[in-house]
Amino acid sequence: MDKFNKLTSIAAPLEMINVDTDMIIPKQFLKTIKRTGLGKHLFHEMRYKADGKDNFDFVLNRMPYRNAKILLAGANFGCGSSREHAAWALHDFGIRCIIAPSFGDIFFSNCQKNGMLPIKMGELDVQFFMQTATKGGEFTIDLEKQRVNLPNGAPIPFQYDEFAKHCLLNGLDDIGLTLEKAADIDTFEAAQKKTQPWLYSAKGAA
Amino acid sequence: MSEPRTLFEKIWDSHVVAATPDGTSTLYVDRHLVHEVTSPQAFESLRLAGRKVRRPDATLAVADHNVPTTNRAAGIADPESRIQVETLATNTREFGITYFSMDDVRQGIVHIVGPEQGMTQPGMTIVCGDSHTSTHGAFGALAFGIGTSEVEHVLATQTLVQRRPKTMRVSVEGKVPDGVTAKDIVLAIIGKIGTAGGTGYVIEYAGRAIREQSMEGRMTICNMSIEAGARAGVIAPDEKTIAYLRGRPMAPQAKDFDAAAAFWRTLPSDTDAVFDREVTINAGEIAPQVTWGTSPDEVVAITGKVPDPAKENDPQRRAKMQRALKYMGLTAGTAMTDIAISRVFIGSCTNARIEDLRAAAGVVKGRKVAASVQAMVVPGSGLVKLQAEKEGLADVFRAAGFEWREPGCSMCLAMNADRLEPGERCASTSNRNFEGRQGRGGRTHLVSPEMAAAAAVTGKLADVRALAPVGR
Ligand code: SF4
């Protein structure tokens, strides 16, 4: 996984609440068996007109936001389905950090698994960032110090989960980390097999 | 004496493999369901890393999202869909996982298949790369949706690293009025707490109106927990749960079953257990629900009207409402029962179990689908379809003018050929009314199976309680 440490970029304001994963990446693009190449379909229905031409009302189609690595969004961003394609599409487009007052739970963790940094911040902070972003200028996200530095340099602190931060800073493969606990998993299974043997003998799936 | 615990806490505590001081837990996963859309990249990474599936015996795969609902013999016409389904077949063969192919009578929507096979059991942790995994919580299991990276993590380790969610109890007290279903209860709950109301929580549904629901009704309610933002919903297992599971192929058999049932009876929340948040709803006040907007919490009683954004004080909410009304082609103040529809979809993991089809057929019987409406029924699984055909329900639907299809997700998300055209308006028993969900520009009104049936025969959104009796 890519490491996430510091990021400096302009930020694109997407002033909508409840942006669901169907909006981020519609189902017709979920048929892929790859993780890459989804960026051109990001926000497809909003980004393109019915005739396939760019819709310049949409923020990510306007300069300079086309090159934004930071997305500012309204509450409950990424609600809806579990499709990791939503995170992959944002990543492929170039987005590395999303700041919103709240997120869909599964989307939030999907971002982190792809080396992207979703940050929850207060409603007022996000609104202020959006106003600031429309004036241009680069924000710097410093995960180590847990700060968003405004274009004028003013630092705004944010909270972050310790474990997720550790994984992002070091680009850790969490399957590898869990496999180090294989002995614990063996012990758990042996104990469960004794107390709930039917979980192992039922004609399951096998 | 030990502290009183909730159902969720009992399941969580008994599945922690390892905990770290910073509050994350490695949680054991008892059962893993897999479908074609969210798994190919997981298997691919597993292969690249040279890793194996830790418990193929605890994993079950089925293709549902992409499969055609007509003429199965012809295979899958769309090449991308075909490749995705074939990839699942190849992956499951390579890693030794049981797979129900499109030609297997047990094939169907993953969240209908698990319970139907008895794979879903109380006290289990169950995951699937699909947000509606919350459905399985109806059995008193902790079941939640995960992304593809987590699918890979579970395949490789049979565990997930999670932070413990908070608990919320939604008590639906009293008795539901006639004509009000599980779907109406859950839509009313979402209307009350909002689409982010459950974010960060596991919801336990409790109260008389929940206890009185059948297992099918409970699944409908837990299914839409995710529409309230909660990753999981649970309902205490009881004798109904146990009776439902007895004799199912993947449930414990013979003596094992009795031992399991004795354990299941210990799971319900202790009387004094404390929840982080409590919400109470009076079942007597719930009327049949219908959504008017593009988010599941944009919902009103069928007796209500399209709301007016001008009366919303919050500017972001107002903007969202205005956008929704524009997309839906609706004007504030319109009576819901004045809205004409042209499509009806009865299906999805929310409402395509046998009981749903019985309820819809009960309304349809002796009536005809309105001339202006194209209506279809997509059973949740091959076994549901077979049962409905045996009971004569399929004949009722066909005689009324419904199309009777093969099982799958179908027009719930329109990934196969079943979809709305731009501007088409649909009464749908599915769970999401997002923009474009059922086809670009398509307009979705979420309703119960009975209400969908009523819309089909009247050509409008209709109050099923007010339908004139069928003449003899
Ligand atoms: S029926 Fe709809 S909600 Fe359910 S699994 Fe299929 S696509 Fe998802």
Side-chain angles (χ1 to χ4, degrees):
Chain A
M1 188 175 89
D2 295 347
K3 289 183 190 181
F4 189 104
N5 188 358
K6 255 192 182 181
L7 172 71
T8 298
S9 163
I10 50 153
L14 180 61
E15 282 188 70
M16 283 173 75
I17 57 168
N18 292 337
V19 171
D20 56 70
T21 52
D22 281 73
M23 275 186 197
I24 300 174
I25 185 83
K27 69 281 188 136
Q28 62 268 36
F29 307 112
L30 307 185
K31 295 181 184 180
T32 175
I33 54 173
K34 299 204 193 80
R35 281 185 163 92
T36 48
L38 288 166
K40 58 179 176 293
H41 306 304
L42 177 70
F43 293 117
H44 190 270
E45 318 288 89
M46 293 194 275
R47 238 170 98 200
Y48 303 106
K49 297 188 188 154
D51 62 4
K53 298 223 174 74
D54 284 6
N55 172 10
F56 290 104
D57 290 341
F58 189 67
V59 61
L60 293 180
N61 281 344
R62 294 199 303 263
M63 289 309 278
Y65 303 117
R66 262 179 195 273
N67 303 321
K69 295 192 172 75
I70 302 168
L71 185 67
L72 306 169
N76 205 23
F77 186 82
C79 61
S81 96
S82 68
R83 58 186 75 161
E84 198 159 316
H85 309 69
W88 298 333
L90 285 158
H91 189 280
D92 199 53
F93 182 85
I95 302 290
R96 291 292 180 276
C97 170
I98 305 153
I99 305 177
S102 58
F103 291 86
D105 278 338
I106 309 177
F107 174 79
F108 192 82
S109 94
N110 283 343
C111 286
Q112 294 173 334
K113 305 279 179 206
N114 289 280
M116 297 156 72
L117 182 71
I119 310 177
K120 281 179 217 162
M121 292 186 82
E123 195 94 44
L124 291 177
D125 280 336
V126 178
Q127 271 170 26
F128 176 67
F129 290 177
M130 287 193 186
Q131 285 160 15
T132 311
T134 53
K135 295 177 199 131
E138 292 188 321
F139 290 67
T140 294
I141 315 289
D142 186 337
L143 176 58
E144 176 81 61
K145 296 213 178 86
Q146 295 183 206
R147 300 219 188 297
V148 175
N149 296 315
L150 299 179
N152 68 7
I156 318 282
F158 62 84
Q159 306 275 319
Y160 223 75
D161 180 276
E162 273 305 314
F163 179 70
K165 177 177 167 180
H166 174 72
C167 291
L168 282 162
L169 283 174
N170 298 293
L172 294 179
D173 161 19
D174 56 351
I175 295 181
L177 286 182
T178 302
L179 286 173
E180 288 171 15
K181 296 183 184 142
D184 292 333
I185 304 175
D186 292 340
T187 311
F188 179 93
E189 282 177 347
Q192 196 190 41
K193 208 169 183 169
K194 276 208 187 108
T195 54
Q196 296 176 65
W198 60 85
L199 290 178
Y200 293 80
S201 63
K203 175 168 127 242
Chain B
M1 251 190 51
S2 58
E3 288 274 302
R5 289 185 300 168
T6 66
L7 164 60
F8 157 75
E9 286 162 341
K10 293 180 193 184
I11 303 176
W12 180 277
D13 293 349
S14 65
H15 285 85
V16 174
V17 171
T20 54
D22 68 17
T24 56
S25 296
T26 306
L27 208 64
Y28 194 76
V29 172
D30 292 323
R31 293 292 182 264
H32 185 189
L33 294 154
V34 173
H35 68 80
E36 79 275 21
V37 180
T38 56
S39 67
Q41 296 85 353
F43 282 113
E44 180 65 13
S45 302
L46 218 54
R47 201 177 286 122
L48 288 174
R51 288 169 177 153
K52 286 217 250 320
V53 174
R54 184 175 174 101
R55 285 206 50 199
D57 67 306
T59 313
L60 174 67
V62 61
D64 54 4
H65 284 64
N66 268 300
V67 299
T69 58
T70 53
N71 195 11
R72 287 268 163 98
I76 305 176
D78 178 70
E80 285 185 291
S81 293
R82 192 174 59 238
I83 290 172
Q84 208 168 47
V85 172
E86 282 169 359
T87 304
L88 181 62
T90 323
N91 283 332
T92 49
R93 209 177 309 125
E94 177 181 338
F95 288 95
I97 294 166
T98 303
Y99 169 57
F100 293 168
S101 78
M102 213 166 74
D103 312 317
D104 191 316
V105 70
R106 298 169 297 178
Q107 178 268 340
I109 305 168
V110 65
H111 309 307
I112 292 197
V113 168
E116 189 171 77
Q117 292 300 318
M119 183 170 185
T120 303
Q121 297 161 29
M124 280 181 166
T125 47
I126 302 175
V127 300
C128 173
D130 192 280
S131 60
H132 289 98
T133 309
S134 59
T135 312
H136 308 263
F139 289 78
L142 175 61
F144 53 90
I146 55 179
T148 298
S149 296
E150 290 176 315
V151 168
E152 184 190 344
H153 194 281
V154 177
L155 288 171
T157 70
Q158 204 59 29
T159 67
L160 270 177
V161 180
Q162 295 283 298
R163 188 166 277 279
R164 189 187 184 111
K166 290 178 285 185
T167 57
M168 180 191 310
R169 176 161 56 190
V170 176
S171 304
V172 189
E173 299 297 353
K175 194 175 155 29
V176 279
D178 288 342
V180 174
T181 68
K183 182 68 160 284
D184 303 308
I185 295 176
V186 70
L187 283 171
I189 293 172
I190 296 164
K192 177 158 175 157
I193 70 174
T195 48
T199 305
Y201 290 92
V202 166
I203 299 178
E204 175 164 346
Y205 301 96
R208 176 176 169 189
I210 302 294
R211 281 195 302 277
E212 287 182 351
Q213 291 295 324
S214 63
M215 289 315 295
E216 285 86 352
R218 293 178 189 181
M219 284 187 254
T220 300
I221 291 171
C222 286
N223 174 272
M224 291 191 71
S225 302
I226 185 76
E227 271 64 56
R231 249 176 123 169
V234 292
I235 293 175
D238 59 9
E239 295 311 311
K240 259 186 233 177
T241 319
I242 294 170
Y244 180 99
L245 286 170
R246 196 183 291 277
R248 302 219 170 231
M250 292 185 184
Q253 305 293 321
K255 273 216 309 279
D256 265 355
F257 188 86
D258 299 329
F263 167 68
W264 297 341
R265 289 191 183 96
T266 67
L267 290 167
S269 294
D270 300 328
T271 337
D272 303 328
V274 181
F275 292 80
D276 296 313
R277 187 179 166 199
E278 295 262 11
V279 174
T280 304
I281 287 179
N282 180 354
E285 287 169 8
I286 303 175
Q289 304 282 304
V290 53
T291 59
W292 55 266
T294 54
S295 173
D297 60 352
E298 293 176 333
V299 64
V300 287
I302 183 66
T303 48
K305 292 188 167 72
V306 176
D308 187 353
K311 295 195 178 121
E312 172 61 56
N313 292 326
D314 179 289
Q316 287 202 4
R317 297 224 147 261
R318 198 183 317 129
K320 166 76 184 77
M321 285 174 80
Q322 281 159 343
R323 185 181 164 96
L325 288 187
K326 182 159 176 246
Y327 180 86
M328 293 296 289
L330 293 173
T331 319
T334 308
M336 292 310 291
T337 48
D338 284 343
I339 298 173
I341 50 103
S342 60
R343 302 285 298 269
V344 170
F345 172 65
I346 298 180
S348 90
C349 57
T350 313
N351 281 128
R353 285 169 282 269
I354 188 69
E355 206 190 46
D356 300 310
L357 303 193
R358 284 181 194 137
V363 174
V364 167
K365 191 162 191 184
R367 296 189 167 100
K368 286 266 182 259
V369 171
S372 52
V373 174
Q374 185 200 341
M376 63 181 188
V377 183
V378 182
S381 72
L383 290 170
V384 169
K385 177 169 185 261
L386 211 63
Q387 177 70 21
E389 285 169 353
K390 251 188 234 157
E391 291 180 19
L393 309 180
D395 294 333
V396 169
F397 285 119
R398 280 201 210 100
F402 275 86
E403 293 169 29
W404 180 249
R405 298 286 189 96
E406 300 291 336
C409 293
S410 177
M411 213 167 70
C412 173
L413 95 162
M415 222 177 137
N416 67 358
D418 312 338
R419 65 173 68 104
L420 298 179
E421 295 303 321
E424 275 190 325
R425 189 180 296 283
C426 180
S428 175
T429 67
S430 54
N431 44 47
R432 286 186 177 142
N433 51 347
F434 296 157
E435 285 180 22
R437 171 81 178 180
Q438 295 194 291
R440 187 172 191 163
R443 295 162 173 168
T444 302
H445 295 275
L446 302 177
V447 288
S448 72
E450 288 89 329
M451 290 281 287
V457 299
T458 59
K460 292 195 295 190
L461 295 175
D463 190 338
V464 64
R465 301 169 303 180
L467 280 194
V470 179
R472 295 271 148 193

